Amino acid sequence: MAFLEFKNVRIAGIAAGVPENVVSNYTLKSGEDISADYTPEAFVETTGVKERRCSETLTTSDLCFAAAEKLISELGWDKKEIEALVFVSQTADYFLPATACILQDRLGLPRECYAEDVALGCSGWVYGLSNVAALVATGTIKKALLLAGDAKKRSKMKRDPLFGDAGTATAIEYVEGAKGFQFHFGTDGSGFDAIITPDGGSRNQVSPESFELKEYEGKMMHNLQTHMKGMDVFSFGITTAPKSVKKLAEFYGFDYQDADYIIFHQANMKMNNQIVKKLKLDPAKVPSCMYRFGNTSSASIPLTIAGELKGLFEKKLTKFICCGFGVGLSWGTVAIETENIIIPDIVNVKDKEDNYGYQL
């Protein structure tokens, strides 16, 4: 059973960065941007995504960098004391090197800094949090950053109007006696192709055929775009997420209904509403940000906290349950208590002409 608990760690702050460019889904064209069966209004009603933040120049690391800089500043942390950085994304800057290495230098963190990439999507923030908690719980590393998000498509193609760009920063620190985090994880690799980019990796390398458009679930797509088996993913989400929340609560002996907030990955509104219904949750405890940011993959949980709850809970003791689920197929749920946490305003990041790093 994949249950984990780490004590003596706490979340000190959460920040988010998004492109300043806003794209309205009410301007979508039927048969071009979305299926011919949908009008823009019907798409918005089904998914809950009214608008998104999108950029053609900003990478995930750009958005995470902006969020991290803002968070570090408001926390008053000395960068010399930040000794670990975990970057979670499906859209790294390069195949090599790891984007975490680039961000260590860009943020001005010490050279003796633990830095790694985690290539997960919708469940990624919960997995990344467990990685960082494991590093910090020993007390040797006192301060660490979890940077998570997705942005900037890998190839020239139309954007899926369900998805938006975002990067987040979560600050974790060692505090003797802190209650820490309790986790439940799961993986079902038999469904690896339910959400998949077929070409571009070592298994199916890029070729001229990779760019050939073929019909897939009612859309014309090529193999460098992400393919999704919609009904399989929907069934997986509404089944797995409620079970994971219940298993976590049962294993650690608490009532999930006692949580102040339960934050789910922002998949789409129809799916999340079904999860809320299955768990018999008070909708007021389940905030959502997908109406203005869309599905932002591993950024969606911290972005929801920063975007929807700022000013409501920071100073008081607050119980959270956070559940991410998706590509892999994988899922993870965590129980967290926060108090005296820093939540900066969301950073709106301008597009830029030149990218950070070497152009080879």
Side-chain angles (χ1 to χ4, degrees), residues 40-347:
E41 291 75 17
F43 180 86
V44 170
E45 183 178 355
T46 300
T47 64
V49 182
K50 296 180 179 179
E51 61 187 35
R52 301 161 287 131
R53 300 297 186 94
C54 300
S55 170
E56 295 300 318
T57 63
L58 296 166
T59 66
T60 310
S61 71
D62 293 326
L63 299 174
C64 287
F65 170 79
E69 285 281 79
K70 181 73 169 177
L71 183 57
I72 293 167
S73 174
E74 295 207 10
L75 284 169
W77 277 12
D78 183 346
K79 289 185 177 181
K80 294 178 183 178
E81 297 178 345
I82 302 172
E83 296 180 301
L85 184 158
V86 174
F87 176 76
V88 181
S89 183
Q90 300 168 120
T91 47
D93 282 8
Y94 306 99
F95 281 107
L96 293 172
T99 304
C101 298
I102 297 171
L103 283 165
Q104 170 272 328
D105 175 64
R106 191 176 179 188
L107 286 166
L109 304 187
R111 288 191 175 182
E112 291 187 352
C113 178
Y114 180 106
E116 70 170 350
D117 281 11
V118 176
L120 280 172
C122 314
S123 62
W125 184 79
V126 180
Y127 273 84
L129 188 64
S130 73
N131 284 15
V132 177
L135 297 171
V136 175
T138 64
T140 305
I141 292 174
K142 303 292 187 184
K143 292 181 171 66
L145 291 176
L146 168 61
L147 307 183
D150 270 303
K152 196 178 182 185
K153 60 200 181 199
R154 292 177 183 271
S155 60
K156 296 296 182 184
M157 59 189 182
K158 281 187 173 295
R159 283 180 175 268
D160 187 321
L162 178 64
F163 295 94
D165 298 343
T168 62
T170 304
I172 297 98
E173 64 181 354
Y174 177 84
V175 176
E176 187 72 32
K179 183 175 181 180
F181 316 139
Q182 299 167 326
F183 296 92
H184 172 251
F185 293 105
T187 306
D188 181 9
S190 69
F192 78 96
D193 61 348
I195 309 172
I196 188 171
T197 304
D199 292 3
S202 298
R203 178 70 62 189
N204 300 313
Q205 296 179 343
V206 177
S207 68
E209 289 74 26
S210 299
F211 298 90
E212 292 181 359
L213 292 174
K214 301 175 184 177
E215 185 173 345
Y216 183 87
E217 298 238 327
K219 298 179 183 178
M220 297 304 293
M221 305 179 70
H222 59 64
N223 277 357
L224 292 174
Q225 292 175 273
T226 299
H227 293 47
M228 183 184 301
K229 295 179 180 178
M231 291 307 298
D232 289 356
V233 174
F234 184 85
S235 177
F236 160 75
I238 65 172
T239 302
T240 304
K243 285 183 178 179
S244 184
V245 171
K246 289 179 179 179
K247 285 182 178 181
L248 180 73
E250 181 181 359
F251 187 85
Y252 288 107
F254 64 84
D255 186 348
Y256 65 83
Q257 297 285 2
D258 291 339
D260 295 293
Y261 298 105
I262 301 184
I263 315 295
F264 293 102
H265 163 58
Q266 303 292 283
N268 68 60
M269 189 58 71
K270 187 175 182 180
M271 182 187 295
N272 285 28
N273 284 343
Q274 284 292 319
I275 294 170
V276 169
K277 185 177 180 180
K278 279 195 168 189
L279 288 170
K280 299 180 181 179
L281 298 174
D282 177 358
K285 289 186 174 184
V286 190
S288 172
C289 72
M290 71 181 79
Y291 68 99
R292 60 181 177 138
F293 295 117
N295 181 330
T296 55
S297 189
S298 60
S300 68
I301 291 173
L303 179 60
T304 301
I305 295 172
E308 301 301 313
L309 299 179
K310 178 179 169 58
L312 299 178
F313 76 98
E314 288 95 313
K315 296 298 182 183
K316 61 184 179 181
L317 182 67
T318 307
K319 297 179 181 179
F320 284 90
I321 295 174
C322 302
C323 178
F325 50 91
V327 62
L329 296 167
S330 68
W331 60 94
T333 304
V334 60
I336 304 165
E337 289 187 2
T338 68
E339 191 172 16
N340 297 320
I341 185 173
I342 298 297
I343 308 289
D345 291 334
I346 291 177
V347 183

